[in-house]
Amino acid sequence: MAKAISLGFPRIGPNRELKKITESYWAGKSSREELLAEAQKIRQQNWSLQKDAGLDQVPSGDFSFYDQMLDLAWALDVVPERYQKVGLTDDLDLYFTMARGGATQALEMTKWFDTNYHYLVPEFDDRPAYSVKRWAHLDIYQEAAGQGFNARPVIIGPLTFALLGKVRTEGVTPLAIVERLLPAYEELLKAFESAGAEWVQIDEPVLALDLDAAQRDALKQALDRLSKATNLKIFLATYFGPLGENLETALNLPVSVLHLDLVRGEEQLDAALAGAPEELTLSLGLIDGRNIWKADLNHAVTLAEKAVSKLSSDRVIIASSCSLMHSPVDLSGETKLNPEVKDWLAFARQKLDEIVLVKRAINEGRAAVQSELTANQESLNKRKNSPLVSNPAVRKRVNAVREDDLRRQSDYVARQQEQHSALGLPAIPTTTIGSFPQTPELRVQRARMRKGEITAQEYDGYIRQEIANAIKQQEDLGIDVLVHGEAERNDMVEYFGELLSGFAFTSNGWVQSYGSRCVKPPIIYGDVERRAPMTVDWWKYSQSLSSKPVKGMLTGPVTILQWSFVRNDQPRRDTCFEIGLAIRDETLDLEAAGCKVIQIDEPALREGLPLRKADKEEYLRWAVDAFRLSSAGVQNATQIHTHMCYAEFNEIVPSIAAMDADVISMESARSQMELLEAFIQNQYQNEIGPGVYDIHSPRIPSAEEMKALLLKALEVIPKERLWANPDCGLKTRRWEEVKPALTNLVSAAQAIRATT
Ligand code: GLN
Ligand code: ZN
């Protein structure tokens, strides 16, 4: 008989209980006992939910107080020396310090594959061998088993753990680390086995990346060793993409089960069925763990039947494509969603039912679940034919996009002249990235407006006050190009999504982004169209308050796409172009209203990069095109800015150049302008504002410090092309920090102007 499982379940709790309790614990408002008790409750609920849904086994170890990579680092004592130095003796304090800093710096954080989840980067030293120091994984398995659940401990595999970490000792390779980690894995597996576990899930998502032969070989040797050390059945999980040239290796590893992501890599099923050795079971990742759409269950059953006819049902497991932690917890509480749209969706809780349904179709025959399959087909048909989804006028416009629409009238050199004479700015102009601190007062009023306690007009009045204040502050500071401060925006994607057609918003559709931080991405379900101008009135109001140029502020198409749940019924590129056209219309309306400087933020451009080299180029091409579509319609004299955060640009600088924005601002204060190198090497021609003020910290940088950074930038960028600005928006800071910091920024720029 085929079995049904999930690879992991959201650990945030149905109402973000984990966030609330951990933040309260950090603030000293909840005790450790309360924290541990709440975590235990969430785990128990999740296990019960999965068992009651009909899963044959539940994952244990998918829970984490912060991050699963951190959990393993902490358990195996992959703890950099700096933590010992500050004398962290308490395990939990150590754990949270590694996560968030405190007595010493936190571990670095970076994105987990191409998701919006962030993990903490383990730092390996020159230790000859690792061993288990903290037994949380075992404790949690025992907790599940003690409550009568058939649990399968889940851990990150050694190759993924090592390759995603950083080796601090020169000469030690990540593959050497894999070997040094194995004694710890052996210990862990043996402990699970003696505690009564029958299975262990080892996650090796790096198998969906480009690996070389040595890396594949290291994995093979690791699993040879681990399989000999234990009688546990090893469930090897891969996800986030097809295995490609790693498939053959994966199929021949000494494991009991190989899990394949068939949502992202359906094409690998045939090869896997043909190549699976006699004793291997395949786990079919048929239900998408990363999106919010109902599955096509008939199609999933067809794939599962194909596997069963080749392998027999005993060698088939029905599963989610990856952990369900990347989708929101439960759809059933969403009472405000348009019921028509809601009928097309499935969150983690609903996905469990889908998994079980496919299993039943296999084990009991389709007839046993015919009514459910029919209902599912009806939902899909309704979605496909819904006028909410397709807007022929939009499709027509996207299809009519020509090369010319992606090109500015003249090249940058000609534009620069026109812009400089139109704007009359000093050398090294000062500006900010867009947002200013949002006052508690404004947040209160926004909440009241959403509850209907104040009218939209009253709310607008409060926003006007904020804008007027932001403009006044910037004038007093002597900034050259002003911003209105984004007071009307709760979030840079949500704000535009709410004004565009084709978007839906949930009340509680949270997913973990990092630690206690959750995001609630909009759902793009249909063709995107701008109904009316979105920012023009606010811009006009702010410009009316100053004779200095005020930037128009827009979020770029790639960022809107990337930070939403996107349609699975058309290529991402098409959706991105639709958004690009909507932003283009806004750009042109701003220009027509008299706006001379328009910033289109693309902080998420890099995040969208596919995992495999072979796919990167195509993505970058359409992503750049979508940005150009949104920006290229304006006159030469209109200055287009873009903004990006995160410092890992090096590999995409040519694409950033191809965006052809007149000015780019980006994060660089912390890296001491390091990334300018990449721009210089690629002969970047346009203007640049490398951030000189690290806005992630409450620290107020001195004028001297910022001057030094600007001088460093001037070594490689002529002063006609350099801007002075912070790293990013200022909305997370307080006015008391922002004012002195910007005062210093302005005087740094002025001092340089006077002397160079
Ligand atoms: N304009 C946005 C702001 O200042 C940009 C934010 C971002 O880069 N994430 O808040
Ligand atoms: Zn930013």
Side-chain angles (χ1 to χ4, degrees):
M1 283 296 187
K3 296 203 162 32
I5 60 149
S6 87
L7 259 53
F9 198 78
R11 54 214 179 200
I12 58 176
N15 291 299
R16 287 181 298 156
E17 286 80 359
L18 187 62
K19 171 197 182 67
K20 291 169 191 162
I21 190 72
T22 37
E23 289 180 356
S24 163
Y25 172 74
W26 294 336
K29 291 182 191 143
S30 295
S31 69
R32 180 169 302 198
E33 290 65 43
E34 288 168 310
L35 174 72
L36 299 180
E38 185 73 53
Q40 209 166 32
K41 194 169 130 200
I42 293 172
R43 290 193 291 263
Q44 191 189 347
Q45 272 173 359
N46 285 353
W47 290 325
S48 299
L49 208 65
Q50 294 178 82
K51 186 179 172 194
D52 295 348
L55 295 193
D56 294 290
Q57 223 178 40
V58 298
S60 81
D62 57 338
F63 177 85
S64 173
F65 275 114
Y66 206 96
D67 163 52
Q68 65 270 16
M69 287 284 282
L70 172 65
D71 290 0
L72 191 59
W74 176 78
L76 306 192
D77 209 32
V78 183
V79 176
E81 218 183 322
R82 63 178 182 276
Y83 297 94
Q84 274 107 60
K85 278 196 184 135
V86 292
L88 286 161
T89 48
D90 178 85
D91 276 348
L92 196 61
D93 287 351
L94 170 68
Y95 179 89
F96 282 132
T97 309
M98 287 169 75
R100 321 164 56 223
T104 181
Q105 243 183 332
L107 293 181
E108 217 176 279
M109 187 165 74
T110 192
K111 277 164 53 68
W112 178 241
F113 297 83
D114 60 349
T115 70
N116 280 333
Y117 175 77
H118 303 70
Y119 71 93
L120 289 152
V121 181
E123 292 173 27
F124 299 101
D125 52 28
D126 55 359
R127 227 170 300 178
Y130 287 88
S131 61
V132 181
K133 170 106 181 235
R134 300 174 185 87
W135 289 93
H137 293 84
L138 179 66
D139 293 345
I140 289 184
Y141 167 74
Q142 286 177 317
E143 181 184 312
Q147 291 169 15
F149 294 104
N150 177 10
R152 179 182 75 257
V154 178
I155 47 168
I156 309 264
L159 188 65
T160 296
F161 191 53
L163 290 185
L164 264 44
K166 277 198 170 161
V167 188
R168 290 286 175 215
T169 315
E170 227 169 295
V172 180
T173 63
L175 295 188
I177 298 294
V178 173
E179 222 187 301
R180 295 172 188 195
L181 285 166
L182 293 180
Y185 277 90
E186 285 178 348
E187 271 185 282
L188 255 182
L189 299 197
K190 283 183 187 149
F192 290 142
E193 190 180 337
S194 354
E198 198 188 333
W199 292 84
V200 63
Q201 175 181 325
I202 299 183
D203 284 13
E204 289 288 9
V206 290
L207 279 165
L209 303 180
D210 299 312
L211 296 181
D212 59 33
Q215 292 167 328
R216 283 192 287 270
D217 204 47
L219 181 64
K220 191 178 169 316
Q221 292 188 13
L223 281 158
D224 276 342
R225 211 169 127 181
L226 295 184
S227 65
K228 283 187 191 121
T230 156
N231 295 314
L232 288 175
K233 293 186 190 143
I234 297 179
F235 178 107
L236 187 75
T238 70
Y239 39 84
F240 298 152
L243 302 192
E245 70 295 342
N246 303 326
L247 180 63
E248 210 195 303
T249 307
L251 283 169
N252 293 294
L253 292 169
V255 298
S256 303
V257 183
L258 174 66
H259 173 86
L260 300 172
D261 182 339
L262 297 181
V263 173
R264 286 239 177 147
E266 186 180 320
E267 69 271 24
Q268 64 191 335
L269 179 60
D270 288 339
L273 292 176
E278 276 300 311
E279 57 296 347
L280 185 70
T281 294
L282 286 186
S283 166
L284 313 178
L286 291 167
I287 304 301
D288 194 351
R290 292 188 54 173
N291 216 324
I292 39 66
W293 302 108
K294 266 187 189 168
D296 180 343
L297 291 177
N298 281 298
H299 183 63
V301 172
T302 303
L303 294 180
E305 284 171 347
K306 194 190 223 181
V308 166
S309 72
K310 183 83 207 300
L311 304 178
S312 90
S313 63
D314 291 337
R315 284 170 61 206
V316 169
I317 295 175
I318 309 300
S320 56
S321 63
C322 57
S323 166
L324 297 171
M325 66 174 279
H326 305 292
S327 59
V329 181
D330 190 358
L331 181 66
S332 61
E334 297 293 336
T335 49
K336 291 200 199 106
L337 271 179
N338 176 342
E340 198 180 335
V341 174
K342 188 175 170 184
D343 178 53
W344 308 334
L345 306 179
F347 293 177
R349 171 73 193 78
Q350 288 68 40
K351 287 169 190 286
L352 297 176
D353 297 336
E354 295 188 328
I355 296 169
V356 172
L357 212 96
V358 176
K359 173 187 98 160
R360 290 187 51 209
I362 295 305
N363 290 344
E364 302 164 30
R366 283 190 193 230
V369 290
Q370 196 49 57
S371 64
E372 287 93 335
L373 290 178
T374 308
N376 172 262
Q377 194 55 51
E378 274 167 18
S379 291
L380 299 189
N381 290 344
K382 279 194 209 145
R383 179 177 164 207
K384 197 162 158 196
N385 301 318
S386 170
L388 288 178
V389 170
S390 51
N391 179 336
V394 171
R395 298 305 319 150
K396 210 169 138 195
R397 248 189 112 188
V398 169
N399 291 332
V401 170
R402 296 283 163 266
E403 266 307 303
D404 263 2
D405 301 323
L406 310 178
R407 218 175 292 132
R408 295 286 295 268
Q409 287 171 349
S410 305
D411 66 9
Y412 169 70
V413 179
R415 299 197 310 258
Q416 188 192 37
Q417 257 179 13
E418 289 193 42
Q419 288 163 18
H420 284 195
S421 63
L423 290 166
L425 297 171
I428 319 178
T430 51
T431 191
T432 60
I433 306 305
S435 56
F436 273 111
Q438 298 212 350
T439 56
E441 160 83 5
L442 181 70
R443 288 180 201 280
V444 170
Q445 300 303 346
R446 178 161 26 239
R448 292 182 64 201
M449 184 269 293
R450 293 206 182 226
K451 281 189 226 144
E453 290 170 18
I454 57 169
T455 64
Q457 259 158 337
E458 285 172 291
Y459 176 61
D460 279 9
Y462 287 107
I463 292 177
R464 277 171 189 260
Q465 276 176 24
E466 295 277 327
I467 292 178
N469 178 48
I471 298 282
K472 163 99 177 45
Q473 300 293 347
Q474 294 172 88
E475 294 231 316
D476 291 352
L477 288 161
I479 291 178
D480 300 306
V481 175
L482 311 191
V483 297
H484 75 293
E486 302 181 17
E488 78 287 12
R489 303 180 193 176
N490 184 30
D491 174 275
M492 65 189 284
V493 170
E494 190 178 63
Y495 177 77
F496 289 96
E498 283 181 341
L499 296 171
L500 293 166
S501 65
F503 282 75
F505 295 85
T506 63
S507 315
N508 205 24
W510 298 97
V511 285
Q512 189 179 14
S513 170
Y514 62 87
S516 66
R517 191 136 157 160
C518 301
V519 292
K520 192 155 64 70
I523 295 168
I524 305 181
Y525 62 80
D527 287 332
V528 176
E529 190 176 34
R530 193 186 70 143
R531 301 190 186 99
M534 306 181 283
T535 63
V536 177
D537 284 344
W538 291 124
W539 177 80
K540 274 196 205 155
Y541 172 65
S542 30
Q543 186 64 82
S544 76
L545 303 173
S546 178
S547 56
K548 292 192 170 172
V550 178
K551 283 194 265 193
M553 277 295 167
L554 305 174
T555 303
V558 184
T559 299
I560 293 180
L561 181 85
Q562 201 55 37
W563 290 352
S564 301
F565 283 117
V566 299
R567 299 171 63 167
N568 58 355
D569 59 349
Q570 69 177 23
R572 275 151 42 94
R573 176 244 174 226
D574 292 2
T575 307
C576 199
F577 267 45
E578 293 175 9
I579 307 169
L581 282 169
I583 301 297
R584 181 186 183 92
D585 293 344
E586 188 69 13
T587 310
L588 291 173
D589 281 347
L590 280 168
E591 183 183 54
C595 185
K596 294 190 170 57
V597 185
I598 301 171
Q599 179 171 315
I600 306 176
D601 292 328
E602 284 291 21
L605 186 91
R606 193 184 177 291
E607 293 183 18
L609 214 55
L611 297 173
R612 299 275 194 160
K613 243 186 231 100
D615 305 325
K616 288 186 183 180
E617 201 178 314
E618 191 208 338
Y619 161 77
L620 285 169
R621 195 173 331 115
W622 64 250
V624 168
D625 281 351
F627 177 84
R628 293 176 65 130
L629 182 59
S630 72
S631 60
V634 296
Q635 304 295 312
N636 281 345
T638 302
Q639 190 170 61
I640 295 286
H641 289 221
T642 190
H643 165 75
M644 290 178 195
C645 336
Y646 281 124
E648 286 166 33
F649 291 134
N650 295 9
E651 73 174 308
I652 62 160
V653 171
S655 300
I656 295 178
M659 290 164 76
D660 200 25
D662 298 300
V663 183
I664 178 169
S665 62
M666 66 220 169
E667 181 174 321
S668 36
R670 271 190 296 189
S671 64
Q672 299 289 310
M673 309 272 124
E674 243 170 47
L675 86 168
L676 282 181
E677 266 316 301
F679 281 79
I680 304 317
Q681 269 164 23
N682 286 279
Q683 298 178 343
Y684 189 77
Q685 291 302 325
N686 306 11
E687 297 171 41
I688 309 189
V692 292
Y693 161 19
D694 173 12
I695 59 92
H696 300 99
S697 149
R699 202 175 73 88
I700 295 157
S702 68
E704 276 313 306
E705 209 175 297
M706 290 192 271
K707 196 175 143 192
L709 288 175
L710 287 171
L711 287 172
K712 201 161 170 191
L714 275 175
E715 289 169 14
V716 288
I717 301 168
K719 78 173 170 190
E720 302 69 44
R721 285 176 38 216
L722 184 65
W723 287 66
N725 48 256
D727 268 344
C728 192
L730 298 164
K731 81 171 175 200
T732 55
R733 300 263 64 89
R734 296 176 304 133
W735 276 109
E736 300 88 277
E737 296 154 3
V738 164
K739 271 197 256 179
L742 292 180
T743 304
N744 294 346
L745 184 134
V746 171
S747 61
Q750 282 170 348
I752 296 181
R753 273 177 217 154
T755 55
T756 49

